[in-house]
Structures are given as structure tokens and as C-alpha cells.
């Protein structure tokens, strides 16, 4: 690839970090933050082509704006002489006394707009900005786009830096990323198009994945499910693009290259949503999953009803105010609670608030807060917040989460999810709470009863999809038609249901079983229950089901993932090298039937969690094409905690059950 000089700059690709130790203990989000600030913003700020004290205009397109927003936030930019952030796609005022910093996606639309900024026209007198241009691209700039830039003489003579920064992805949290691929056509591109080398979606997806690995300084071994043609196709595309990146960036280093101590090469496992259509449909009652399933939330921002203490008369309805909250890694309470069961979340919050209320500062309030050990009400909590100004910040945060958690429970009760969840869990695990294996006829009868109780058709669609996927299809066309008659679905909902077949989930069982290539088949071979899913060690009976991905990650982190079932693009190192320190088998749960509420905890012979182990093994990177659900995100954190192996998960996007059903509908 050509590398011509633009004045004092050349076309380069930035290195994610300068040494192997600089990012070893950093999270993905911290690495991206450092990369953006040091290699883009501060690098431009300290350039000799910028006068001391001279301000910079940052021009972004929608993709790069979301990258910045998901990692560093706009407020950090102002500290580095960025006077204004402008939208490349909108008409902009001139700042001829300032240098310009472009950060954009390597797409033709964005390059055309940049070139247009520097192309003389009758409508604009002189250039928009000063004589120094710093040009950064999120990913690889192809030769066609590079040629467009070279063709603009006014732009070329001003370019001081032209760099590919390898940040063509969004950080979800400290250990997760996604590609923000929410286009309704993505499922058609994944599951209806031919597996050809020229598939634009597949190439774009793997190009983005290369930037994520480059940022992490990882040149991973690549594995995929042997029976999944899409994953194999994507794995070889990624391998080719990663090799091209390494070959054209001689200064880039990677962990396990032999030159950086205490580092090993990562393993990338490419998976496919269609191999597990059950997990994104299930109701899960951990905090993060419930928020994303039951409450309106967009880009981690949620609007909730905040109770105002002292504004409502005794016995009357509580007065509320609409408040916004950002649920991300900057919120320590959210990070602590997001993976906990909702019952534990409310208990933990109540305990923390009660400890503050019962402190010396809150002693006057303590007597009124005693409620025989019950959790504080939202109104009591709001009064405590008002009465204890010295604890205002932490009390405000605890109050915020208590109110969001209560809104989750309000939705839970309004939708009757307690009874529904037990039916879902039995369908998914093949066993009742008491450990019995029920008759299918009985479960279908309970399904019909639930259809008649549910007034929202999307809930009926979701349950029917769970029945079909968990059974790998109904036993007869007659059973299907009876359930469809009871479900009374709309045309769009029927389309979503029928499209399960396009993802390999038959509505009616085929005579010849065709599930060997599924994750279900993988787990079935491991001797799990009759429906093919393992049972969780959760202490709650409504959380018996565990997502299929968790077993895969546990096998991978222990070095036991079958090479036959999950081969690699290139030969893996010796088995001994792949295996980490031997780990003891996880303690198995011994459940006892609960004679009271399904929310009551179950007894267990061992804990499902353990202290985080230390490990020098290479990272495990798991990428899910077609969307990763929140139970899988939580499971990755749990496996990372118990195994000591760092796990990074990524996907085209993170999906709620509603997102998954809409994606199914989009298949047409």
C-alpha cells in the first residue's frame, strides 16, 4: 500500500500502547480512553504545526461521535484546547484562526465532505480552518478513499498528520465492545446472503474486529464452531485482514510476540447468534438484564420516576419527578449491582441506606426508619436523603438505584413474570423447580393458560418462541396450529416466529435431527439435561437456566475446549501450552424444593462464585455475530472472575429480547 508524504506527515496506523506493561492491567475502556486522548487529541495539541495556545476545532461524523461519547466524553476534550466539536455532515461556521482535527469513519461519504471543505467554491470565501489539518480515521482507509484525498491539492498541502487510529468500535463497558450495527438489514446480510469473499457486511464486520484487536495489541489465534459455515467464513476473513494489518504496520507489537515478557497470544472465538436463539428470549432477573428488558433505556441512558420527599400528603400518592441516569462504568453502584439478582439488589441498597440512616448523623431519623427488618420504602429513602445533607451524594446515587430497581419490580409484577418465569425455566432446563421431568403435554397446557392470561401479544410471541426453540420444534403441525390459534399474533409477530426457521430453528421437529452444529448439540454431548442446557447454580429457582455461552467460556478458559468441535484457522500451540493451571471443578448445586415463594433462595452445597484467580494466560476474546444478550455479558464477567483469565466480549450489538424479535421480523 502506498505511503506518500503529506508535507511533514505520512499515512500511518497508530499503536495502541507503547509497551506490554502499559495496558496489561487496564480495561478495554481505559485503553481506548488513553488511545484517544494521547494518540489523537494530545498528539495534535503538542504538534509543532500548532502554535502555543492555539485552539483546535474537532470535526466528527456520527460514527466517531459515538466512539468519543462511549469512551471519554466531551468534557475531557475542552481540557486539551478543543474549542468546539462540529458535525461534519452539517453546515459549519469558519474558524480560520484555529487548526482542525478530523476524526471520522473511513467511509466515502465522510471523505467527500472533508474534501469539499477544502475545495474552492463560489459560496465560500477562503478555507474554513487554519493551515494545519490533522486527519484521523477510525479504521483502515482503502486506496480509493486515499486517492480522493490525494486529488485535493488544497487539502494535501495542509495535512500534517494522516493516521488510522484503529478505533472502529464502541466500548460497552470495561470488558465489552460492539459495532453499533442496528440496521434492520443486518440479519438479512448475515443469514440470507451468500458466503462470498465480496460480502460487504462480512468484510466490514471483520475490519472493525481487526481494529478492536489492534487496539488491544492482540494478534489472536482464531477459532470457530466446526459446523457453522458463517463463523468459519468470518474467521478466515478476519485472519486475512489481521495478517494484512500486521504486515503493513511494522512498528505495531502484540502480546506473545516473544519480545514482551509475561504476555501470551490471545484466542479469538467467533460465534453466531443463530446457534442459540433461546438465551435472548428468556426473562432474566439480574439487574442489568431487567433494566434493558423491562424499562425504556437508550445508549445506557434511562429516565426514571424520582420520588420527592415531603411533597405528598400522608396517605396520598407520592409525587414524582422525571430524572435521567447514565448506567455505565462511571457509576460504581451500578458496576457493583448490575450482575446481581433483583432481590439481592434491593436488599443490598436497603442495607447501605439503613447503615447511613443509623449512623450518628442520622440517629434522629433512625427510629422512624425501623420497619421490622423490611426494606426501606422509596418514600422513607427520599426523606432520609433530604434529612442527611452530608451524605447527599452517596444517598442520591443509592436512592436513584433503589427507585430504578423498584420500577423493575413494578414491571415484573404488572406482567405477572413470577408465574411465567417458572414455565420458562422448566421449558429451558427440562426440569421443574423440584427436579421432576414434566410431560410435554402438561407444559403445552400451561403455555395455553399463560396465553389466555397475557394481554400483550409480544409476550405471547416470546413465550411461543421459547417453547419452539427449547423443544427444537413442536412434535406436530397440529400442535403448532393449536398454539398459534391461542397466541393470536399479529402479521409482523407471525413473520418473526416463522423466521426462526431461517436461523435453523424448525417450528415443527424434523424427522432427522439436525442440531449437531449447534451449541445445544455441544452441550448435549457433555451429558447435560434432556433439553440440552445446563442448570445454573443460582440460589433462586427462577434463575435455574444458564446461557449456553457460559459453558463454552468455561471450557475455553480451562484449556479444554474441543479442537475438533472448535478448530482454529491456523494450528494451535501444543495442548500443554494452551492449558492453564489446573482448576478444580465447580461445585455442583444440590437444589431443594422451596415450599414458599419462588423468590426464596435454594440451598446449595457450594458457591457459584469464588475469589478471582491470577493468571498470565492470554486473553480470551469472544465475538458474537448477530447480537449478544445481557445474560451472556454477565456470564463473561462471572467466568472471568472465577477463572482468572481476562475475557473480552464483543458483538455486532448488545440486544434485549425486543431487539432480537425485531431482528427476526426484519428477515422478511
Amino acid at each position: 500500500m502506498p505511503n506518500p508524504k503529506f508535507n511533514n506527515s505520512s499515512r500511518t496506523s497508530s499503536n495502541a500502547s507503547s509497551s506490554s506493561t502499559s495496558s496489561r492491567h487496564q480495561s478495554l475502556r481505559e485503553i481506548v480512553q488513553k488511545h484517544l486522548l494521547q494518540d489523537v487529541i494530545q498528539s495534535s495539541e503538542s504538534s509543532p504545526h500548532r502554535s502555543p495556545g492555539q485552539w483546535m476545532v474537532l470535526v466528527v461524523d456520527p460514527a466517531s461521535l459515538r466512539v468519543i461519547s462511549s469512551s471519554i466524553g466531551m468534557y475531557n476534550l475542552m481540557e486539551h484546547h478543543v474549542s468546539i466539536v462540529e458535525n461534519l455532515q452539517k453546515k459549519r461556521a469558519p474558524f480560520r484562526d484555529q487548526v482542525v482535527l478530523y476524526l471520522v469513519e473511513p467511509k466515502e461519504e465522510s471523505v467527500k465532505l472533508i474534501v469539499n471543505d477544502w475545495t474552492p467554491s463560489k459560496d465560500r470565501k477562503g478555507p474554513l480552518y487554519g493551515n494545519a489539518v490533522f486527519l484521523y480515521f477510525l479504521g483502515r482507509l482503502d486506496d480509493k478513499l486515499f486517492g480522493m484525498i490525494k486529488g485535493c491539492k488544497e487539502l494535501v498541502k495542509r495535512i500534517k498528520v494522516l493516521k488510522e487510529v484503529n478505533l472502529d468500535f464502541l466500548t460497552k463497558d470495561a470488558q465489552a465492545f460492539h459495532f453499533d450495527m442496528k440496521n434492520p438489514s443486518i440479519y438479512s446480510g448475515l443469514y440470507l446472503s451468500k458466503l462470498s469473499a465480496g460480502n460487504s457486511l462480512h468484510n466490514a464486520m471483520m475490519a472493525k474486529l481487526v481494529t478492536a484487536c489492534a487496539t488491544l495489541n492482540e494478534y489472536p489465534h482464531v477459532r470457530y464452531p466446526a459446523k457453522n459455515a458463517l463463523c468459519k467464513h468470518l474467521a478466515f476473513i478476519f485472519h486475512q485482514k489481521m495478517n494484512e494489518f500486521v504486515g503493513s504496520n511494522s512498528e505495531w507489537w502484540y502480546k506473545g510476540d516473544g519480545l514482551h515478557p509475561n504476555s501470551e497470544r490471545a484466542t479469538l472465538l467467533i460465534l453466531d447468534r443463530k446457534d442459540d436463539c433461546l438465551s435472548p428470549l428468556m426473562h432474566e432477573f439480574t439487574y442489568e438484564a431487567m433494566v434493558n428488558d423491562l424499562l425504556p433505556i437508550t445508549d445506557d441512558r434511562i429516565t426514571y420516576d424520582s420520588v420527592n420527599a415531603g411533597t405528598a400528603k400522608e396517605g396520598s400518592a407520592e409525587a414524582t419527578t422525571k430524572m435521567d441516569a447514565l448506567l455505565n462504568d462511571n457509576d460504581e453502584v451500578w458496576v457493583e449491582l448490575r450482575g446481581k439478582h433483583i432481590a439481592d439488589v434491593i436488599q443490598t441498597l436497603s442495607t447501605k441506606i439503613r447503615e447511613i440512616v443509623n449512623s450518628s448523623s442520622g440517629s434522629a431519623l433512625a427510629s422512624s426508619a425501623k420497619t421490622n427488618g423490611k426494606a426501606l420504602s422509596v418514600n422513607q429513602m427520599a426523606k432520609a436523603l433530604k434529612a442527611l445533607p452530608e451524605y447527599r451524594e452517596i444517598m442520591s446515587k443509592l436512592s436513584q438505584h433503589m427507585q430504578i430497581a423498584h420500577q423493575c419490580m413494578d414491571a415484573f409484577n404488572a406482567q405477572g413474570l413470577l408465574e411465567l418465569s417458572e414455565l420458562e425455566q422448566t421449558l429451558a432446563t427440562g426440569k421443574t423447580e423440584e427436579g421432576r421431568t414434566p410431560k410435554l403435554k402438561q407444559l403445552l397446557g400451561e403455555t395455553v393458560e399463560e396465553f389466555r392470561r397475557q394481554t400483550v401479544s409480544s409476550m405471547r410471541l416470546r413465550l411461543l418462541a421459547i417453547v419452539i426453540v427449547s423443544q427444537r420444534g413442536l412434535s406436530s403441525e397440529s400442535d403448532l396450529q393449536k398454539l398459534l390459534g391461542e397466541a393470536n399474533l399479529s402479521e409482523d409477530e407471525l413473520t418473526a416466529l416463522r423466521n426462526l426457521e431461517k436461523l435453523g430453528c424448525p417450528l415443527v421437529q424434523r424427522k432427522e435431527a439436525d442440531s449437531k452444529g449447534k451449541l445445544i448439540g455441544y452441550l448435549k454431548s457433555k451429558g447435560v439435561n434432556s433439553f440440552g442446557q445446563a442448570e445454573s447454580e443460582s440460589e433462586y429457582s427462577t434463575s435455574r437456566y444458564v446461557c449456553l455461552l457460559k459453558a463454552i467460556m468455561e471450557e475455553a478458559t480451562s484449556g479444554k475446549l474441543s479442537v475438533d468441535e472448535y478448530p482454529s484457522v491456523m494450528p494451535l500451540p501444543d495442548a500443554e501450552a494452551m492449558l492453564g493451571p489446573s482448576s478444580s471443578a465447580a461445585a455442583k448445586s444440590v437444589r431443594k424444593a422451596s415450599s414458599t415463594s419462588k423468590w426464596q433462595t435454594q440451598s446449595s452445597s457450594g458457591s457459584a462464585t469464588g475469589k478471582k484467580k491470577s493468571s498470565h494466560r492470554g486473553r480470551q476474546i469472544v465475538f458474537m455475530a448477530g447480537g449478544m444478550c445481557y445474560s451472556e455479558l454477565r456470564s463473561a464477567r462471572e467466568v472471568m472472575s472465577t477463572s482468572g483469565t481476562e475475557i473480552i466480549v464483543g458483538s455486532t450489538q448488545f440486544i434485549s429480547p425486543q431487539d432480537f424479535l425485531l431482528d427476526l421480523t426484519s428477515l422478511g
Side-chain angles (χ1 to χ4, degrees):
M1 191 171 289
N3 192 19
K5 297 290 182 179
F6 282 154
N7 295 344
N8 296 319
S9 76
S10 62
R11 182 185 187 184
T12 61
S13 179
S14 67
N15 198 11
S17 55
S18 58
S19 70
S20 62
T21 57
S22 64
S23 63
R24 168 161 291 279
H25 300 295
Q26 290 181 320
S27 70
L28 172 62
R29 175 164 279 172
E30 289 170 337
I31 293 170
V32 171
Q33 288 173 344
K34 182 178 179 181
H35 190 20
L36 270 174
L37 287 175
Q38 290 188 357
D39 297 343
V40 178
I41 307 300
Q42 291 177 7
S43 175
S44 303
E45 183 184 23
S46 60
S47 170
H49 303 290
R50 172 185 161 274
S51 303
Q54 187 178 19
W55 287 90
M56 301 184 294
V57 178
L58 174 60
V59 180
V60 297
D61 60 10
S64 60
L65 177 61
R66 286 181 61 75
V67 169
I68 292 172
S69 299
S70 73
S71 52
I72 59 174
M74 293 300 171
Y75 57 90
N76 284 321
L77 301 177
M78 306 308 170
E79 299 177 357
H80 297 283
H81 289 91
V82 174
S83 63
I84 189 170
V85 178
E86 295 269 56
N87 187 334
L88 177 65
Q89 297 180 348
K90 294 183 178 179
K91 187 175 181 180
R92 286 159 278 132
F95 290 92
R96 297 186 179 95
D97 60 335
Q98 300 186 30
V99 302
V100 61
L101 191 165
Y102 291 99
L103 177 63
V104 298
E105 195 175 19
K107 291 289 183 67
E108 185 172 348
E109 179 185 6
S110 293
V111 172
K112 280 183 176 179
L113 290 171
I114 293 172
V115 169
N116 186 60
D117 281 355
W118 300 96
T119 301
S121 68
K122 296 179 181 180
D123 300 329
R124 185 172 56 236
K125 296 180 180 179
L128 282 173
Y129 308 110
N131 287 327
V133 175
F134 300 89
L135 191 50
Y136 298 93
F137 290 94
L138 297 178
R140 183 179 179 275
L141 187 71
D142 64 34
D143 291 342
K144 177 185 175 182
L145 300 181
F146 192 52
M148 291 171 60
I149 294 172
K150 287 174 62 179
C152 182
K153 295 181 180 180
E154 292 299 315
L155 173 60
V156 168
K157 69 182 184 181
R158 291 175 171 86
I159 293 179
K160 308 306 177 186
V161 171
L162 195 158
K163 184 181 289 187
E164 298 160 351
V165 296
N166 300 311
L167 290 173
D168 203 3
F169 60 91
L170 304 184
T171 52
K172 173 65 176 176
D173 61 30
Q175 303 297 134
F177 66 91
H178 65 102
F179 299 155
D180 203 28
M181 289 183 166
K182 298 178 181 178
N183 191 305
S185 65
I186 184 174
Y187 265 38
S188 296
L190 283 174
Y191 303 122
L192 301 184
S193 61
K194 293 182 179 180
L195 300 181
S196 65
N199 187 298
S200 59
L201 175 63
H202 299 168
N203 278 282
M205 192 185 305
M206 292 302 96
K208 288 175 180 287
L209 187 54
V210 166
T211 71
C213 290
T215 295
L216 290 165
N217 290 104
E218 297 289 8
Y219 184 20
H221 304 289
V222 187
R223 302 181 70 177
Y224 56 91
K227 299 294 185 178
N228 188 298
L230 174 63
C231 289
K232 181 177 180 180
H233 177 66
L234 294 176
F236 277 84
I237 292 176
F238 172 84
H239 180 69
Q240 178 184 347
K241 290 185 178 295
M242 194 74 215
N243 284 347
E244 290 172 355
F245 172 83
V246 174
S248 60
N249 292 277
S250 58
E251 294 184 1
W252 182 81
W253 65 271
Y254 60 91
K255 291 179 172 63
D257 60 2
L259 302 176
H260 297 82
N262 299 322
S263 67
E264 294 184 21
R265 282 181 71 178
T267 299
L268 168 65
L269 179 59
I270 297 179
L271 300 174
D272 183 1
R273 178 73 279 155
K274 75 175 183 181
D275 280 347
D276 175 14
C277 291
L278 183 59
S279 293
L281 293 167
M282 296 288 292
H283 280 95
E284 165 148 345
F285 302 123
T286 52
Y287 189 26
E288 183 176 30
M290 287 188 78
V291 166
N292 283 277
D293 185 3
L294 304 179
L295 303 182
I297 182 170
T298 303
D299 293 334
D300 299 333
R301 187 176 298 279
I302 186 172
T303 300
Y304 67 99
D305 295 322
S306 176
V307 175
N308 303 318
T311 59
K313 294 181 180 179
E314 193 70 29
S316 65
E318 295 168 337
T320 61
T321 302
K322 295 289 184 183
M323 300 286 286
D324 286 340
L326 196 59
L327 305 180
N328 60 22
D329 283 1
N330 294 324
D331 183 342
E332 293 181 359
V333 177
W334 169 252
V335 171
E336 177 188 352
L337 300 178
R338 62 191 175 191
K340 293 181 180 290
H341 190 282
I342 191 67
D344 294 333
V345 170
I346 292 175
Q347 183 59 50
T348 299
L349 288 169
S350 185
T351 298
K352 289 178 179 290
I353 294 169
R354 194 178 297 280
E355 287 173 353
I356 294 175
V357 168
N358 289 336
S359 67
S360 57
S361 298
S363 57
L365 197 80
S367 60
S368 63
K370 291 180 180 179
T371 55
N372 299 321
K374 296 181 180 179
L376 288 173
S377 71
V378 173
N379 201 297
Q380 285 176 322
M381 181 184 52
K383 290 179 179 178
L385 173 62
K386 187 175 181 180
L388 302 172
E390 64 270 41
Y391 294 105
R392 187 172 301 278
E393 183 176 352
I394 182 61
M395 283 289 286
S396 177
K397 184 61 67 177
L398 295 173
S399 170
Q400 168 188 296
H401 284 285
M402 181 69 92
Q403 295 183 77
I404 294 173
H406 274 290
Q407 283 187 230
C408 287
M409 286 306 303
D410 289 344
F412 173 91
N413 292 323
Q415 296 180 25
L417 296 186
L418 183 60
E419 295 78 12
L420 175 60
S421 64
E422 178 55 35
L423 175 57
E424 289 182 356
Q425 293 294 313
T426 303
L427 286 165
T429 63
K431 294 185 182 297
T432 65
E433 178 188 353
E434 295 80 15
R436 293 185 298 102
T437 301
K439 298 290 185 181
L440 180 58
K441 184 176 180 180
Q442 174 191 339
L443 294 181
L444 295 183
E446 292 178 14
T447 299
V448 169
E449 291 177 9
E450 188 64 34
F451 284 165
R452 293 171 179 174
R453 188 182 67 82
Q454 280 290 347
T455 59
V456 180
S457 62
S458 61
M459 293 287 287
R460 300 194 294 271
L461 166 64
R462 189 167 162 184
L463 176 57
L464 182 52
I466 289 173
V467 172
I468 290 170
V469 175
S470 67
Q471 307 305 302
R472 271 88 74 193
L474 295 170
S475 58
S476 69
E477 182 68 28
S478 174
D479 284 346
L480 175 61
Q481 293 305 320
K482 287 177 182 177
L483 289 177
L484 287 174
E486 291 286 351
N488 191 26
L489 304 178
S490 68
E491 282 300 318
D492 282 347
E493 290 166 342
L494 285 171
T495 297
L497 191 71
R498 294 190 187 104
N499 284 341
L500 282 170
E501 293 199 316
K502 296 177 181 177
L503 271 63
C505 301
L507 301 188
V508 178
Q509 291 173 3
R510 299 173 183 140
K511 292 183 180 179
E512 295 182 4
D514 186 25
S515 61
K516 291 183 180 179
K518 307 294 183 186
L519 299 184
I520 289 174
Y522 160 79
L523 287 172
K524 190 172 183 180
S525 69
K526 301 300 178 184
V528 293
N529 64 65
S530 59
F531 284 106
Q533 285 81 16
E535 284 197 325
S536 169
E537 292 178 340
S538 169
E539 56 187 348
Y540 293 98
S541 66
T542 49
S543 300
R544 304 194 302 278
Y545 173 76
V546 64
C547 70
L548 304 179
L549 179 59
K550 187 171 186 178
I552 304 296
M553 290 188 290
E554 288 173 337
E555 295 275 284
T557 54
S558 63
K560 298 176 182 178
L561 191 63
S562 168
V563 177
D564 293 330
E565 295 177 30
Y566 291 86
S568 62
V569 173
M570 297 296 288
L572 291 170
D574 293 339
E576 288 295 322
M578 291 296 291
L579 285 171
S582 60
S583 57
S584 60
K588 299 298 180 182
S589 172
V590 181
R591 292 194 181 81
K592 296 181 179 178
S594 170
S595 59
T596 56
S597 168
K598 290 183 176 62
W599 287 101
Q600 183 173 326
T601 61
Q602 303 175 106
S603 62
S604 171
S605 61
S607 172
T609 59
K611 292 183 178 180
K612 185 174 180 178
K613 304 172 186 176
S614 61
S615 173
H616 292 293
R617 285 170 283 176
R619 284 186 178 112
Q620 291 286 334
I621 305 172
V622 180
F623 178 78
M624 179 80 76
M628 182 176 285
C629 65
Y630 289 93
S631 62
E632 291 165 333
L633 179 58
R634 170 186 53 78
S635 294
R637 298 186 190 115
E638 292 174 352
V639 176
M640 178 171 163
S641 176
T642 56
S643 70
T645 300
E646 184 179 2
I647 297 175
I648 303 287
V649 294
S651 185
T652 45
Q653 64 168 320
F654 285 91
I655 56 173
S656 68
Q658 293 78 15
D659 293 329
F660 182 56
L661 292 173
L662 286 173
D663 286 335
L664 286 174
T665 305
S666 72
L667 280 170

